[in-house]
Amino acid sequence: MKYGSILAFFMLLCVSGVLKAAKNETNGIKSVQIKGYVGQRIDQCIQERVKKQDVDEIVDVFAKQDEVRERWGTEFWGKWVQGAIGSYDYTKDDDLYRLIQYSARKLLSYQLPDGYLGNYDKDHQLKGWDVWGRKYTILGLLRWYHLSGDKKALKAACRLMDYTMTQLGEGKAHIYAYGCYKGMASLSILEPLMFLYNDTKEKKYLDFAQWMVRDMEEPDGPQLIAKADVPVYERFPVPFDEWWSKNNGQKAYEMMSCYVGLLELSKVMGNTSYVDVVEKVVRNIMDEEINVCGSGAANECWYRGKYRQTIPAYNMMETCVGFTWMQINQRLLQMTGKAVYADNLEKTFFNAILAAMKDDGSQIVKYTPLEGYRMEGEDQCGVHINCCNANGPRAFAMIPEIAYMMPDDNTLRVQFYSSSSARAVVNGVEVSVEQVTTYPQGGLITLHVTPARARQFAVELRIPSWSAKSTVKVNGQAVQNVRQNAYCRIDRVWQPGDKIELELDMRTRLVELNHMQSLQRGPVTLARDSRFRDGDVDECCSFVTDEGGFVDVIPVEAPQGLWMAFKVVTLAGSYRENVWKRYIRFCDFASAGNTWNKNERYRVWIPKTINAMTEPR
């Protein structure tokens, strides 16, 4: 090699090094590690659920086009792979990467020459769950493309969407006329359609999206925009004689999936009215549907469940509903920065989602009732998996993504409290954060903020809406104007060794509804569990409250298999002459019934004893 070539070679190396260093200095979150109990559960989910999935089984669904019963087997790979890639982004596990790669390459081999990638018989295409399955396939292919750079995956996604557009569209067929639940299952393909537009900038995808929005608003469509002011549980007459049908417009999971797509369209078009629509719907769901454990729906549909949650209902809290509720709140959090959406995420994860996974991490339930026992869901569509086992890991993978966020280059926002660490570049300087806490067992959260060198930037702490009394100190000095349901912004020159102490109000709140009672401690709902062997979990009682209406709940050592345990003094029983004060124990809802043993029983809502001598007439 000549001297000039050698010099050019080394200059190229130097320039590459400078570019690489500059890239590394780009502002943003670089890595997050979740520790403690939550970290253990995330790791369990990855090791025991995600990595142990038989991927051949869920990919081979696409090998034959013989589906005539209009089932949903083609959703499983797309759901699983998104959770798997989210898990890989968090762990950088090489074995998991190879498993994802193998599954994606095998899937690509099943695409037909015309672009179709599914399992429906030609005469049954578009019907039932076919377009829904295409949605998840495209989402999975695009997620793999973004991870690997494999352009074959992007091409396959485009071909599948292009094929779909030959069947649906202006002058062809209404999309709302196909698929389940007022066409909402099919209309939810709006989300990956927008991702395809972002990746290709092909105008045809944006045009198709705009047609879809017009189509959904037709008189026979779900009218997701026009009916935004109508409570989600009463938008259409309930077809009690054909619940699982196209005529049911209250299906929770599919409805929220469509609104997620509408948010993605709003990003592309800059149409804030779509965001207003989704926020209005989410507020209605919060006010009318979401229960004390952060999820909702019965028989997978909205039913004004917030006010009926004390009454046992069939098939409560489908895990797919819980995840999608987290998903729509995550997108709104990213787009609006409002703390309420982070509160919703936290409540759903600590209760409904953690409760959905078996204690060994091997399975995720389909439904999580507020009393009774938990049990595995059935295999679906001839495959050893079901919708919630496929979808649930995506909720666990979401936590590292939302724990720390940067709304701008000069602000590091702490969204999720748990023992954890993060590395970020803020205002051009590398910053490490170590979060030391037992939260939500305790309310003290200590953050060690260590910039590589002194630099001014802001740290924002989420103050939950339930925390009536919160204090923040920086290096021992109190911060003023700490308000609930908002962010406490601390803008200063940060030095290595700086420390923030946040103390949240963990007093236990008593919630009463329909002569029933529930205990709420921080973001966690408490439950009785028969494993405590301290009486009948169904017995009535009265809780003793202080002047502020709070219940004195005392932490105790948790038995094996439980995360948290507490004792609380009650007036138990319904015989006034023989009533006595005694302690009964509660655990966190996530731990209640987590062995899936049908001989054990738990309960969230405790019957309240009425005293006719004092009860208002």
Side-chain angles (χ1 to χ4, degrees), residues 508 544-546 550-554 567-569 583:
T508 300
V544 179
T545 59
D546 63 18
F550 296 99
V551 178
D552 186 19
V553 168
I554 304 170
K567 66 178 183 178
V568 54
V569 67
Y583 283 108

Side-chain angles (χ1 to χ4, degrees), residues 85-353:
I85 291 174
S87 300
Y88 173 78
D89 287 340
Y90 173 58
T91 64
K92 300 297 185 287
D93 183 321
D94 290 338
D95 291 336
L96 181 54
Y97 185 92
R98 285 188 286 269
L99 185 64
I100 296 166
Q101 182 182 58
Y102 168 79
S103 76
R105 288 178 174 176
K106 187 173 186 180
L107 180 83
L108 291 173
S109 72
Y110 289 137
Q111 190 163 35
L112 300 184
D114 61 8
Y116 182 63
L117 188 51
N119 72 335
Y120 271 59
D121 173 89
K122 186 73 173 179
D123 293 335
H124 290 81
Q125 283 187 18
L126 299 182
K127 297 178 182 178
W129 297 95
D130 185 34
V131 181
W132 171 266
R134 299 184 201 189
K135 171 192 78 169
Y136 275 112
T137 301
I138 295 171
L139 284 171
L141 287 170
L142 291 180
R143 193 78 189 264
W144 169 241
Y145 164 66
H146 294 150
L147 175 65
S148 67
D150 184 355
K151 292 186 178 180
K152 292 180 180 178
L154 176 60
K155 183 178 179 181
C158 289
R159 291 181 63 215
L160 178 54
M161 187 64 80
D162 291 347
Y163 177 73
T164 302
M165 291 164 58
T166 67
Q167 298 174 304
L168 300 167
E170 197 79 54
K172 298 167 188 171
H174 293 288
I175 190 169
Y176 70 75
Y178 290 94
C180 302
Y181 305 107
K182 289 288 183 180
M184 291 187 294
S186 296
L187 283 159
S188 68
I189 203 171
L190 180 60
E191 179 193 13
L193 179 63
M194 287 299 87
F195 293 159
L196 265 181
Y197 174 78
N198 290 334
D199 285 334
T200 66
K201 300 306 178 186
E202 290 274 0
K203 184 175 180 294
K204 61 183 178 182
Y205 296 136
L206 182 57
D207 291 343
F208 189 58
Q210 292 173 313
W211 170 81
M212 284 179 60
V213 172
R214 293 194 300 272
D215 204 53
M216 76 168 63
E217 294 303 299
E218 289 287 326
D220 291 333
Q223 301 175 52
L224 296 168
I225 298 173
K227 290 184 178 292
D229 289 313
V230 180
V232 291
Y233 67 92
E234 62 176 23
R235 292 188 172 184
F236 299 94
V238 178
F240 294 107
D241 56 339
E242 48 179 6
W243 187 269
W244 311 103
S245 75
K246 178 174 173 49
N247 295 322
N248 191 332
Q250 278 72 254
K251 190 70 157 59
Y253 174 17
E254 289 75 6
M255 182 189 291
M256 289 190 291
S257 296
C258 290
Y259 283 120
V260 168
L262 200 61
L263 287 176
E264 293 305 323
L265 177 60
S266 75
K267 293 178 186 177
V268 171
M269 297 184 64
N271 189 338
T272 57
S273 67
Y274 291 158
V275 180
D276 295 340
V277 164
V278 178
E279 285 200 280
K280 189 180 299 183
V281 173
V282 165
R283 171 52 62 182
N284 172 249
I285 294 172
M286 288 173 59
D287 292 344
E288 304 271 355
E289 300 290 346
I290 298 302
N291 61 39
V292 292
C293 290
S295 188
N299 275 340
E300 303 179 13
C301 293
W302 302 126
Y303 72 119
R304 201 168 182 256
K306 184 172 184 176
Y307 302 99
R308 299 178 179 180
Q309 62 181 296
T310 58
I311 307 168
Y314 289 120
N315 298 341
M316 291 182 72
M317 295 208 303
E318 184 194 22
T319 299
C320 285
V321 171
F323 163 71
T324 313
W325 175 241
M326 287 182 64
Q327 184 183 47
I328 199 169
N329 276 278
Q330 179 196 31
R331 302 291 171 90
L332 284 172
L333 176 63
Q334 292 168 336
M335 295 175 73
T336 70
K338 295 178 182 178
V340 62
Y341 301 124
D343 273 13
N344 289 343
L345 282 162
E346 176 185 60
K347 181 177 181 179
T348 304
F349 180 76
F350 275 135
N351 296 287
I353 297 300

